[in-house]
Amino acid sequence: MGQEGVGVDLETSLGYLLKEASSALRAAMEQVLRPLGMSVTRYSCLELLAQRPGLSNSELARGAFVTRQSMNVLLHALEREGDVTRPVEAPVGKVLPTRLTPRGRRSLEKATVAVRSVEVRMLAGLTEAEQSGAFRILQSMIRSLRDGDGS
Amino acid sequence: MGQEGVGVDLETSLGYLLKEASSALRAAMEQVLRPLGMSVTRYSCLELLAQRPGLSNSELARGAFVTRQSMNVLLHALEREGDVTRPVEAPVGKVLPTRLTPRGRRSLEKATVAVRSVEVRMLAGLTEAEQSGAFRILQSMIRSLRDGDGS
DNA sequence: TGACCCATGTCAGGATTCTGACATAGATTG
DNA sequence: CAATCTATGTCAGAATCCTGACATGGGTCA
């Protein structure tokens, strides 16, 4: 294996470490979600809807970090399986507010405990102060990155 | 806009914040890399090779967080464009060590300054202590997540 | 009121990535 | 030494995602 211990600049890059952590988190989530027949994006969508009922397709897409098109096909699948409901026509404008069904709420509950366990494991070696510190630091990074993107 | 300020649990989730930061970082990198005709994965591959010459296809794939197959097609493109070289046959085993050409090194330099500026911007509002704190925290998260993955 | 601009939902096409599988090389273990 | 295990490179197919585009609804502002 190429595990030479040569000190490398990538190992000191916070950006690389951020991607590494995010990748590890996603892998861990996929692992615990797979036995439940659920993907990360599907879980994210359900969780979003549980906390903010009536979200639109576009809002769900932004919240789950996918495109509107991808979220659209997912919503159709969720609707077909009876996890969510959408009005046949928009009550106002073109926005179709989506809501969880009792069935969707149940499948979400099982997934939530699985994901919660992953998050607990991730925060295992961290003190309370470190967790709130990480919180502020990540928020600062996000704000700084979004500032200069010409939006 | 659905920007209701309703306090939501997702906003308090470190996992969600992690994904948000990683997504913002990737978007910022794509934005500064696009004018140079370079993608994030391509930059990652070149940067990896600059710091660890002779890396194999599989090692590059792991380092850039893609599959071996994706890295393989990227390497073929990089070789065709003259940014990297690979021996026609493996000197030992099946591993084909990859190396940067002078041309590849030049295109990497331009990309590096662009990416460096993004990282600087990301760390703008953070003190030195906060940066090293983030470093330790992220490493702890990665370690904790990798521990219980049945590898 | 009408023109303009932004956001939404949706469609089609293409590009990218992943999943699954195979044969082979090297290390490991008995 | 032989068998097993792990890792590599590669192939083919499928699934996923994105880019580009369109028509429509709503808000803004003259």
Side-chain angles (χ1 to χ4, degrees):
Chain A
M1 234 57 53
Q3 278 292 42
E4 61 271 7
V6 182
V8 181
D9 195 41
L10 266 187
E11 303 301 325
T12 73
S13 160
L14 254 182
Y16 192 81
L17 221 55
L18 192 59
K19 172 66 180 173
E20 206 172 346
S22 180
S23 175
L25 174 59
R26 185 177 187 89
M29 286 178 68
E30 282 172 350
Q31 186 173 334
V32 299
L33 252 26
R34 192 187 329 270
L36 283 63
M38 191 167 306
S39 72
V40 174
T41 305
R42 173 181 288 240
Y43 160 74
S44 302
C45 178
L46 262 39
E47 186 74 53
L48 248 7
L49 284 173
Q51 301 183 3
R52 305 195 213 167
L55 243 40
S56 73
N57 178 26
S58 291
E59 290 170 322
L60 287 169
R62 274 193 297 271
F65 305 101
V66 295
T67 61
R68 287 174 291 169
Q69 293 83 339
S70 300
M71 183 54 71
N72 194 34
V73 309
L74 173 59
L75 280 183
H76 278 299
L78 286 172
E79 196 174 14
R80 176 163 25 86
E81 299 172 18
D83 282 341
V84 307
T85 54
R86 289 200 295 178
V88 288
E89 60 178 23
V92 53
K94 307 183 64 174
V95 178
L96 293 176
T98 312
R99 292 187 173 279
L100 245 47
T101 64
R103 183 183 189 283
R105 215 172 301 272
R106 274 194 299 276
S107 54
L108 170 60
E109 280 172 12
K110 291 198 285 275
T112 296
V113 303
V115 171
R116 198 75 68 181
S117 77
V118 171
E119 194 146 346
V120 166
R121 193 174 75 204
M122 180 176 78
L123 271 32
L126 268 47
T127 67
E128 197 69 39
E130 283 173 326
Q131 292 186 25
S132 54
F135 204 85
R136 285 182 303 103
I137 289 169
L138 286 175
Q139 280 183 327
S140 168
M141 288 183 181
I142 294 167
R143 194 170 348 109
S144 300
L145 286 172
R146 292 216 202 288
D147 274 354
D149 69 341
S151 76
Chain B
M1 230 61 50
Q3 278 292 41
E4 60 272 6
V6 183
V8 181
D9 194 41
L10 266 187
E11 303 301 325
T12 74
S13 160
L14 254 182
Y16 192 81
L17 220 55
L18 192 60
K19 173 66 179 173
E20 207 172 344
S22 179
S23 176
L25 174 61
R26 184 178 189 88
M29 287 178 67
E30 282 172 349
Q31 185 173 332
V32 299
L33 252 25
R34 191 187 332 267
L36 283 63
M38 192 169 305
S39 73
V40 174
T41 305
R42 173 181 289 239
Y43 160 74
S44 302
C45 177
L46 262 39
E47 185 75 53
L48 249 6
L49 284 174
Q51 300 183 3
R52 305 194 213 167
L55 244 40
S56 74
N57 177 26
S58 291
E59 291 169 322
L60 287 169
R62 275 193 296 271
F65 306 102
V66 296
T67 60
R68 288 173 291 169
Q69 294 83 340
S70 300
M71 183 54 71
N72 195 33
V73 309
L74 174 58
L75 280 184
H76 278 298
L78 285 173
E79 196 174 14
R80 177 162 25 84
E81 299 172 16
D83 282 341
V84 306
T85 55
R86 290 200 294 177
V88 288
E89 60 177 23
V92 54
K94 308 181 64 174
V95 179
L96 293 175
T98 311
R99 293 187 173 277
L100 244 46
T101 65
R103 183 183 189 283
R105 215 173 300 272
R106 274 194 300 276
S107 54
L108 170 61
E109 280 172 12
K110 291 197 286 276
T112 297
V113 303
V115 171
R116 198 76 66 181
S117 75
V118 170
E119 192 145 347
V120 167
R121 193 173 77 205
M122 181 176 79
L123 270 33
L126 268 48
T127 68
E128 197 69 38
E130 284 174 327
Q131 293 185 25
S132 56
F135 203 86
R136 283 183 302 104
I137 289 169
L138 285 175
Q139 281 183 326
S140 168
M141 287 183 182
I142 294 168
R143 194 172 347 111
S144 300
L145 285 171
R146 292 216 201 288
D147 274 354
D149 68 341
S151 76

